[in-house]
Amino acid sequence: MLTNVVPFRKAVSAGEFRRPPILLRTARSGMRTFNRARELPRLLGGDQLCAPAETLPRLRQLEARQDELRRAAEPGYDLHRHVMLLIAILAETALANSDGLTLPGTAIRARP
């Protein structure tokens, strides 16, 4: 039986980031070369790739910690790690909202 109802998936949001514009611009430009098979194990400390819905909460938690360190001007702040976490959050959000045609481990192209 056909119906006139079209189901839509709820879009996943990266959330509102209150970060310096240069950090976000850098993260958006880095999305072009993001390779989740290589980067997620480095960032999350594991070797098993999970669905974006499972990785996003952990990535957000790690990024929030880096942002706290940045704001407090702590010596443990790692700019490179912070940018990589932002890239991963944006890329995983894009993957979660895609049609599922991107294969794991492939680069996710940024949308203009």
Side-chain angles (χ1 to χ4, degrees):
M1 177 176 178
L2 297 174
T3 66
N4 62 351
V5 177
V6 179
F8 289 98
R9 288 186 303 142
K10 182 180 176 188
V12 176
S13 171
E16 177 143 348
F17 285 116
R18 292 266 202 225
R19 307 296 183 258
I22 193 163
L23 277 178
L24 294 177
R25 278 194 308 269
T26 304
R28 284 188 196 107
S29 70
M31 283 176 60
R32 284 181 267 142
T33 59
F34 181 75
N35 182 319
R36 75 185 308 262
R38 181 185 64 223
E39 301 302 336
L40 286 181
R42 288 180 188 174
L43 292 171
L44 298 175
D47 58 354
Q48 197 172 29
L49 289 179
C50 298
E54 296 175 36
T55 61
L56 278 169
R58 179 76 175 128
L59 289 169
R60 287 182 181 132
Q61 178 186 21
L62 293 169
E63 189 279 331
R65 177 65 183 137
Q66 283 298 312
D67 196 55
E68 288 173 9
L69 293 172
R70 177 187 66 82
R71 290 174 188 258
E74 292 288 329
Y77 174 65
D78 184 349
L79 176 62
H80 180 260
R81 180 167 175 76
H82 195 181
V83 170
M84 291 306 297
L85 286 164
L86 286 169
I87 291 169
I89 289 170
L90 295 176
E92 290 293 293
T93 301
L95 181 60
N97 290 327
S98 74
D99 296 330
L101 299 176
T102 307
L103 298 173
T106 60
I108 298 172
R109 298 288 176 199
R111 294 182 184 142

